Amino acid sequence: MAISRNGCEGCTEITCTSTKDVLSKDLAKTVITAYDRVKARGMSACLFGSTGTCCRNCNMGPCQIIDGVDEMIGICGATADTVAARNFARTIASGSAAHTDHAREMVKGFIETAKGHGPHEIKDENKLMELAEIFGVDTEGKDKNEIALEIGELALADFGKQDDTPVTMLKRAPKKRQELWKRLGVEPRGIDREVVEMMHRTHMGVDQEYHNIMLQGARCALGDGWGSSMLSTDLTDIMFGTPVPRRAIVDLGVLKHDQVNVTVHGHEPLLAEALCLAAQDEEILALAKKVGAKGINLAGVCCTGNEILMRRGIPVAAGFVQQEMALATGAIEAMVVDVQCVMQSVAEVAKSFHTDIITTNYRAKMPDAVHIQFEEETPLESAKEILKKAIANYKKRGDFFIPEETKFDVVVGFSHETINYMLGGRFRGSYRPLNDNIINGRIRGVAAIVGCDNYKMPDNHHEIIARELIKNDVLVLATGCAATGLGRVGLLRPEAVQYAGPGLAEVCETVGMPPVLHCGSCVDNSRLLIAATAMVKEGGLGDDISDLPLAGTAPLWMSEKAVAIGQYFVSSGAYVVFQNLPMTGSKKFSKFMMEEMEDIYGGRWDIEEDPVKLAQKMIAHIDKKRAELGIDKKRERVLFDMEMRRDLGGGGLHDVGCAGPAK
Ligand code: NFS
Ligand code: SF4
């Protein structure tokens, strides 16, 4: 179907240069994107759905509930409070399930690697030993594969555990937090079990009390953050290497006119890593040359992109909202997808071009896509088969447009370990300098900007929020598509220090780091839990995560995973603000979530649509925590002398070494 689009006027508030460029070309004229669909639908979201009070949990409904109107409760008598809580909890369960099923695959891949099967190996032995201690694995006289196998089997058992003891990783949290969870009865037991129990309790006629529903909501989310996501991050690091700072590039300009462009879209790094290896294989390179291409250009989309960006410096072509735009360049031979955040529309967009959409996971098939199952036992063979399909398409490429000038330098790879070494020095990794700089006020606090981008909102909100935060001396940690978006506007470069307040700028300049740190994919939000715990353990900033001058946001969230992440941060003691949440149809439930939850967890939810005000609310929370810690008076500017610079400079970017892009 042809659509009329004059430049980009037919779209909804796009500020992204590369997106505008691609959409303005004749090539994209037949392409209908989500921006067009948002416009066609008139942006009118269902009031009941968007405020959390539409229930379709049984066939007496669906029931649309109006808070405070007696005749507008559910047929079963369920109130707005119960329905909003049940819906919210189910969103957490779905988001947690997505992370958990992903993590299970990673653990199984880890076990295969430990057994010596497949192309991967145990790379990060330090982290392996750390995990051995956490899991209580005796390492004496064992080689790394034996240790890894024991860890892998214990980790896998955490998913299906049926006894009532907590999942293993929970013991990494600050002591006080663990005691609170125990007192509240929200320690996650089996990771899968918490999702099942959440679904059961929100079934018709079970849990009817929103406080109680949200106890399980917390437990389920904690099973994600401190359970499956954390396992996935750590085991992936051990197999593929813990990220270190490296330079790379992002945006649609990373596509190459003279190479076979293959984008990897989805979430599971096992597939992406195998494709990285296969793209360097001589047989594959020879085939590419045979069709006249100079090589294989792999580029990421969404979180799988973040995984290979962090570990290998492979460029990221697009975040979530750009997936259709990447195809509309006409320059992609194959978009390889696995699970999560893949829009069904990509198959439709691809029809206008020579591009194949290749699904690879039995869980996630699409009409009009080619399916090549990624076999975990033979990953390299699967990856080669996929690349051969892409190579065969190269000669079919017709007109294309790559916005070559729009690609941004970024510095990525800020794992918890990197932050430790950068700020603490290579030989004495520690959070002491970070804590000291927070205490003396050069750094006002730490903010996490995470999660998706979303066609419903202008695409520059991440940037507005980040700029407001760094201008006010707040160090920003970013993950997921938010991080990619911040890269697209140049905030992931050390040069972005010019936008930071004087205190933060001083620290960043001394260390040589950007004021916005890319910490990985959405699963890697677990790194932020560990970083927050390290700040607590370092001392001087209270004895729990809820004492830290810390705040989080996933402003442009679209995925249920973002709600699960938000809840595990809130239940871990953080203040978390989104631009909207489906809970406002119940006064009591939203008051509970946005006010009373703080009395229980020391963290709470909040909602603020305006991006500047949202950032200011985060700063206000940070300032409140500074005042409670008694460090609010210390925000005078202290100039660094040479000794302080030497102290800080030991492990900076210069020292760790910015590996260039792997290609
Ligand atoms: Ni996170 Fe990543 Fe992106 Fe959102 Fe989707 S890719 S796991 S869910 S859209 S950040
Ligand atoms: Fe309606 Fe109750 Fe059934 Fe929900 S569970 S659809 S509120 S009758």
Side-chain angles (χ1 to χ4, degrees), residues 642-659:
M642 274 321 287
E643 198 180 334
M644 289 153 93
R645 282 179 183 271
R646 264 196 303 276
D647 269 3
L648 258 179
L653 262 182
H654 330 288
D655 214 26
V656 176
C658 282

Side-chain angles (χ1 to χ4, degrees), residues 267 302-303 320 341 451-452 480-481 522 558-559 561:
H267 283 80
C302 279
C303 274
F320 176 74
C341 305
C452 328
C481 293
C522 277
M558 66 84 203
S559 153
K561 289 175 285 175

